[in-house]
Amino acid sequence: MPLFATTYRYVADSDAARDATRPAHRAYLAELTARGELALSGPYVGGEGGALLVFEAASEADAVALTDADPFVVEGLVAEVSVRQWQTVSGRLAQHV
């Protein structure tokens, strides 16, 4: 199944709102992991707030739909989303995806 690298840029000054929404966000990501639709995810460290999520989906539209249902997105805490199909070629993790 194709992989889709998805980046989030969080709304400025949304730390408190993200903290309040994080349990629902993480529960949603756990559900996607259990269904085999989320390969990796995590926030960037330092700098502007954002995250990288790698979805396994049949199409870009399906990956966008997974993003649209994320509580962070639903609650308006993500200012910008980018979804692009991504092909792994080499590296230690490439053999696992």
Side-chain angles (χ1 to χ4, degrees), residues 11-90:
V11 170
D13 300 319
S14 65
D15 293 355
R18 280 186 284 118
D19 287 346
T21 307
R22 187 166 288 109
H25 166 72
R26 291 213 173 140
Y28 177 67
L29 296 181
E31 176 185 325
L32 294 182
T33 300
R35 294 189 332 220
E37 295 174 302
L38 180 64
L40 296 165
S41 71
Y44 294 117
V45 176
E48 185 177 38
L52 171 67
L53 303 93
V54 179
F55 295 113
E56 294 185 62
S59 68
E60 183 176 323
D62 290 341
V64 169
L66 295 173
T67 299
D68 288 345
D70 183 337
F72 275 1
V73 174
V74 171
E75 294 299 321
L77 304 174
V78 178
E80 183 179 328
V81 175
S82 171
V83 178
R84 295 192 57 195
Q85 189 169 349
W86 181 52
Q87 179 179 351
T88 61
V89 175
S90 61

